[in-house]
Amino acid sequence: MGPGPENQPERQDFLREMVQRDLAEGRVDKVVTRFPPEPNGYLHIGHAKSICLNFGIARDFDGQCNLRMDDTNPTKEDVEYVDSITADVKWLIAGWADHCLGLKPVGCLAERREIGGHEDYHIVPVMGAEEGREALEPFYASDYFEPLYQFALELIRKGKAYVDDHSAEELDAMRGAPDRPGRESDYRERPVAENLDLFQRMRAGEFPDGARTLRAKIDMQSPNLWLRDPVLYRIRHVPHHHTGDEWCIYPMYDFAHGLSDYIEGVTHSLCTLEFEVHRPLYDWILDALELPRTHPRQREFARLNVTHTVMSKRKLLRLVQEGFVRGWDDPRMPTISGMRRRGYPAEAIRAFCDRIGVAKRENMVELGLLEHFVRDDLNRRAPRAMAVLRPLRVVIENYPDGQDEEMELINNPEDPGAGTRRVPFSNVVYIEQDDFREVPPPKYHRLSPGVEVRLRSAYLITCTGVVKDPQTGEVVEVRASYDPATRGGDTPDGRKVKSTIHWVSAQHAVDAEVRLYETLFAMEDPDDVPEGRDFTEGLNPSSLEILPGCKLEPSLASAVPGAPVQFERLGYFCADTEDSRPGAPVFNRTVTLKDAWARIERKQG
RNA sequence: UGCCCGAUGGUGUAACGGUAGCACGGCUGACUCUGGAUCAGUUAGUCGAGGUUCGAAUCCUCGUCGGGCAGCCA
């Protein structure tokens, strides 16, 4: 895992460098980061990068990372998302940064106190590792609505915020443009007492949605749009998933975020690049309130993009709602729950995030890199088994009909401790259709007429003929003879065969459905669509292929859903956690094995 | 035509004024009872032009290209 603070390399990335500097200079004495998703969708691989970053930094510096729902917009949020986000975060960091996870006792609110004459609110996290002793939950920005409201009143008292009666359209028109200054509101010089009264009545529910807003009084001439008297509060007479109907005014992101960070004692607030222009406002709010404790420091990094997929929650939501996928956890989705269901280990996702690093430039990481870490992890851990996805019957003519025997197979050549298992063999076996060619192309080493191959850990067989469908001419059965001296796959005379193929005894086979996945989108960058075209047009029509009637070796009948297994020569698979049933297993292909033959074939055209 | 940020092999990321490195991918080959894994080799990069300096990916200037910003979204 990652290095501890002692053997920390001089630089790992620009953010860790900053944290290290802050520590060295005594600006902070304990590192507190946070992961603040809005519960309006499921977490995806882009969030995984942020989680690994925020928890990774907390871990490297013996700090903590709070999980916080950034839930200031009740119209878009839902508890379903709160639950999935919490589960996904815990799953991703399990066994790695559990001890850094900051949560709070259920229902716990920020504590009010006074420091040097200044009103202050503070909440201290309970570390997630202590869960069990008491019921814990994530932090919620909505739990700070009261402190936030008090801070807003304070801002009004300081003459730094005012209630504005202009409509959204008017505000729009008055904001100006990037290259044109804005115009000051007609209500900008409203007396403090009137602002106080109006804002309290906003809270009391006296005005309809949109009638008024609370705005910061900053600078309508600023070249930075976010400093042109930004809206701090809006009126929304809608219930909130966490606070019920206690509130009808809701704080905006910019007002809530920095103050939430402050209330939790966050030292480093790391977010994506698009918030860089908000940073002056983030700092302005903290400074304007003259908050007595150390201010959190916002820094930005580039969000992750991965080829062949989309990352925006809006687009992912459309894929779900419009039925292009089977849900947020569809194994084709780049969501954490989708990847989990598909069989990606958390360790592999973390290794990926570690490898891609963090910087400020726009990036597009190849999906292949993620797959590399999935294979790398699974190669070491996944037990092997034999499964035939597209069965072709092979009859071994000189093997006694009705006889069977058990072969001993190694469970994992990468892990001697994994032991062996026994697999039944008989005179009729299934092999992969791909493993037989009546007319072998150049460099094809598998079974074809007259050619000898090894049935893995069983016997060497030679193809003696084929049986064809008289109608279609298609090969429906292969005839073969075996060499009894090669039991276990060994050749007493030392002769070599070019190929070893997998097999499943027909009479012992377990039937299963296997789901093969390809990339969700055919093109590298699905966001790069011509004007007027929709990104869904780029969906890969063969992203899901369902194979019924696959033949599995008997040991696979009791596969634990979610547990990885390698189907030899094919890839890594896992029984589906939703749809697999005892006696009717359903497997997902997590990722293929690297396939040298496929490359040769491609080159041959 | 405003402000902010960025630019290193195909991709991602290091090098903080002193040998352009690592990983993935690609290509060769070795080995192999998985055409997997493993091993060895190889391919390929500092956006451009000036300047500072003994020395520049790094500092400065001007360009070029890319991204972000005009929600009562986050």
Side-chain angles (χ1 to χ4, degrees):
Chain A
M1 292 289 147
E6 295 81 18
N7 52 14
Q8 190 65 206
E10 199 46 45
R11 287 170 61 87
Q12 205 174 349
D13 57 63
F14 73 105
L15 294 171
R16 272 172 243 255
E17 184 194 19
M18 172 189 62
V19 171
Q20 206 152 32
R21 205 169 44 234
D22 287 344
L23 245 16
E25 291 169 359
R27 201 187 71 84
V28 303
D29 46 45
K30 187 191 174 194
V31 175
V32 182
T33 58
R34 102 268 93 110
F35 174 63
E38 184 189 12
N40 67 345
Y42 277 56
L43 262 24
H44 53 62
I45 184 71
H47 293 107
K49 172 180 180 176
S50 178
I51 292 167
C52 290
L53 212 217
N54 280 295
F55 282 91
I57 286 178
R59 190 175 179 276
D60 286 354
F61 297 99
D62 288 321
Q64 68 190 46
C65 177
N66 293 351
L67 171 60
R68 178 172 76 229
M69 299 300 148
D70 207 358
D71 55 351
T72 55
N73 184 359
T75 62
K76 291 186 174 176
E77 300 155 6
D78 194 279
V79 282
E80 176 198 353
Y81 300 126
V82 172
D83 295 341
S84 72
I85 287 168
T86 307
D88 287 347
V89 169
K90 286 181 177 175
W91 176 78
L92 223 210
I93 68 169
W96 175 66
D98 312 73
H99 60 292
C100 298
L101 173 61
L103 299 170
K104 67 176 180 77
V106 172
C108 178
L109 298 176
E111 202 177 293
R112 182 179 191 282
R113 55 190 191 185
E114 227 154 271
I115 299 180
H118 290 282
E119 187 175 31
D120 196 42
Y121 291 87
H122 193 79
I123 185 165
V124 181
V126 175
M127 301 317 288
E130 298 177 45
E131 193 160 24
R133 262 179 256 171
E134 52 189 324
L136 302 180
E137 65 178 349
F139 293 92
Y140 290 84
S142 58
D143 276 339
Y144 312 141
F145 281 170
E146 182 59 36
L148 257 22
Y149 175 74
Q150 295 299 330
F151 281 137
L153 289 174
E154 178 64 11
L155 219 46
I156 294 172
R157 280 184 226 110
K158 287 175 182 288
K160 291 177 175 176
Y162 60 95
V163 172
D164 196 312
D165 300 355
H166 284 300
S167 69
E169 297 69 40
E170 291 169 323
L171 244 48
D172 242 21
M174 295 166 76
R175 188 161 25 238
D179 56 346
R180 177 162 41 84
R183 209 178 79 225
E184 294 189 350
S185 165
D186 299 336
Y187 306 93
R188 202 170 196 264
E189 301 307 328
R190 192 114 84 170
V192 167
E194 190 184 336
N195 283 322
L196 246 18
D197 173 63
L198 252 15
F199 187 54
Q200 281 160 347
R201 288 165 60 196
M202 277 168 65
R203 177 187 185 168
E206 290 186 27
F207 312 115
D209 288 4
R212 294 180 216 266
T213 57
L214 182 72
R215 290 226 270 166
K217 190 194 275 193
I218 310 181
D219 178 10
M220 291 306 290
Q221 315 295 311
S222 174
N224 182 336
L225 283 305
W226 292 100
L227 259 20
R228 317 241 265 227
D229 290 12
V231 170
L232 266 21
Y233 268 90
R234 75 283 214 182
I235 302 173
R236 288 277 179 282
H237 288 269
V238 292
H240 183 280
H241 64 92
H242 188 64
T243 60
D245 37 44
E246 194 182 337
W247 295 85
C248 63
I249 56 172
Y250 292 97
M252 297 289 290
Y253 164 85
D254 290 288
F255 188 67
H257 202 90
L259 290 171
S260 298
D261 285 340
Y262 176 80
I263 289 168
E264 291 176 18
V266 166
T267 57
H268 300 274
S269 186
L270 311 175
C271 60
T272 45
L273 253 24
E274 67 269 25
F275 292 103
E276 203 160 17
V277 285
H278 293 238
R279 193 155 95 201
L281 176 56
Y282 182 99
D283 292 334
W284 183 91
I285 291 168
L286 263 13
D287 291 342
L289 255 7
E290 299 175 87
L291 296 168
R293 288 180 292 116
T294 307
H295 292 9
R297 195 208 267 262
Q298 175 184 305
R299 279 298 115 95
E300 312 79 17
F301 62 90
R303 67 164 1 115
L304 169 67
N305 296 294
V306 176
T307 60
H308 304 286
T309 194
V310 292
M311 216 66 99
S312 95
K313 281 201 257 185
R314 204 195 96 252
K315 286 178 179 166
L316 294 176
L317 179 63
R318 276 196 55 199
L319 294 178
V320 173
Q321 288 184 335
E322 296 173 26
F324 290 110
V325 295
R326 297 173 167 192
W328 284 99
D329 69 344
D330 186 300
R332 292 167 290 178
M333 290 282 273
T335 52
I336 292 179
S337 55
M339 293 188 289
R340 175 171 61 231
R341 184 169 172 190
R342 180 157 170 167
Y344 284 18
E347 290 84 346
I349 297 172
R350 278 192 248 123
F352 169 76
C353 291
D354 190 55
R355 189 68 231 180
I356 59 174
V358 52
K360 292 188 74 168
R361 70 189 83 112
E362 298 288 322
N363 61 80
M364 172 75 79
V365 179
E366 290 170 349
L367 212 218
L369 187 64
L370 212 205
E371 294 183 332
H372 161 78
F373 285 103
V374 172
R375 289 191 187 100
D376 187 54
D377 186 277
L378 261 18
N379 176 48
R380 276 175 273 121
R381 299 173 30 210
R384 307 287 108 152
M386 293 196 292
V388 175
L389 269 28
R390 296 177 173 90
L392 174 60
R393 230 173 112 81
V394 177
V395 177
I396 301 163
E397 296 172 316
N398 58 336
Y399 192 94
D401 192 17
Q403 179 180 313
D404 61 24
E405 62 185 308
E406 288 195 322
M407 299 298 175
E408 186 166 39
L409 276 87
I410 293 168
N411 284 333
N412 185 350
E414 303 295 317
D415 176 12
T420 61
R421 70 186 184 288
R422 304 182 81 78
V423 180
F425 180 84
S426 64
N427 70 322
V428 182
V429 299
Y430 291 113
I431 66 168
E432 214 66 60
Q433 285 170 19
D434 272 356
D435 287 341
F436 177 81
R437 290 291 170 80
E438 192 179 12
V439 183
K443 293 186 181 165
Y444 184 86
H445 299 147
R446 283 113 92 150
L447 197 62
S448 52
V451 170
E452 183 177 52
V453 301
R454 174 168 27 237
L455 292 182
R456 169 134 240 223
S457 301
Y459 289 105
L460 267 55
I461 62 167
T462 303
C463 173
T464 55
V466 298
V467 177
K468 292 184 181 180
D469 182 312
Q471 242 66 54
T472 63
E474 180 196 2
V475 175
V476 292
E477 184 177 293
V478 171
R479 310 294 290 188
S481 64
Y482 85 114
D483 177 356
T486 58
R487 187 173 194 282
D490 299 315
T491 50
D493 61 356
R495 71 180 188 274
K496 306 270 186 200
V497 286
K498 281 280 188 62
S499 180
T500 297
I501 63 176
H502 61 277
W503 52 274
V504 171
S505 168
Q507 61 170 296
H508 303 94
V510 172
D511 285 308
E513 173 182 317
V514 174
R515 298 170 181 173
L516 305 182
Y517 303 105
E518 283 180 17
T519 57
L520 229 200
F521 289 87
M523 65 238 303
E524 279 214 337
D525 183 5
D527 287 319
D528 186 25
V529 287
E531 191 141 356
R533 294 311 191 90
D534 192 78
F535 79 100
T536 57
E537 291 177 40
L539 280 160
N540 178 4
S542 43
S543 62
L544 168 64
E545 184 177 6
I546 298 176
L547 299 177
C550 299
K551 303 294 184 180
L552 314 184
E553 67 166 68
S555 70
L556 255 11
S558 54
V560 178
V565 58
Q566 183 195 100
F567 290 177
E568 291 218 38
R569 303 206 304 131
L570 298 176
Y572 298 95
F573 294 75
C574 66
D576 189 72
T577 48
E578 303 298 317
D579 301 336
S580 195
R581 298 278 176 277
V586 176
F587 279 85
N588 295 311
R589 182 171 68 193
T590 306
V591 65
T592 60
L593 246 29
K594 290 215 306 202
D595 188 348
W597 168 244
R599 244 199 346 258
I600 295 168
E601 250 187 332
R602 222 179 300 132
K603 270 191 282 187
Q604 291 180 350

